Amino acid sequence: MVETYSAKANRNMRRPVVKEEVVAFMRQHQKAESGFLADLEDFAQRENIPIIPKETAAYFRLLLKLVAPSNILEVGTAIGYSALLLATYAPQAQITTIDRNPEMLALAQANFDRYDSRRQIKLLSGDAQELLSEIEGSYDLVFMDSAKSKYIVFLPDILRLMPVGGVVLIDDVFQGGDVAKPFEAIARGQRAIYRGLKRLFDATLDHPGLTASLLPLGDGLLMIRKDQETIDLAN
């Protein structure tokens, strides 16, 4: 019996998007970081500190060359790995990064003092929601890697700070696959995150003023381009 095109397509669509062996392949065969970035990866793994995975870092290396940003904003510094990665592959950019955790701030500042040779990175301490409402300037690339339930809260100010054509990258939006489940299946302690991510998707994925795409990298990456000057996320 000859399999029809539609039957074959349906069968292929039922396959997992990224199998464990495919993730392993991506991590083994794409360029690995060296030097201090590799040292920071090893430190984060030993101390169980989450940083972007290798496949996301590989994507960032390419994207930074394509976008060539001048000003980058990061929400969620942790030990400073991603900010230093951004600085390495966007040497022309000025980078502002925000965190509120005292331990992470101390580690990040020590790493910036040691490795930010071009002094590209400015570290801000405090609540992101408050700081974002006060910050001025224009950022053509924004990376959010912080409290997932707050992404939708931060996004209006993020978009206000971006020019048309600016790009937002929002990390860890799949919640370990929970976003594909019904609300009743979500553990009570994870429901605030679930609600926040659902609000984020509802506000962005089909917005007429944004171009958005979900990428199966790490625990999910939401990529958004600002297409018009004024964005009302309520619409």
Side-chain angles (χ1 to χ4, degrees), residues 175-187:
Q175 199 184 2
D178 280 358
V179 292
K181 299 177 182 178
F183 179 77
E184 295 75 17
I186 306 302

Side-chain angles (χ1 to χ4, degrees), residues 73 96 122 124 131-139 160-161:
L73 176 63
T96 300
K122 179 181 180 181
L124 299 182
L131 290 173
L132 289 171
S133 67
E134 300 168 356
I135 288 176
E136 297 182 357
S138 181
Y139 298 91
R160 175 183 59 81
L161 292 167

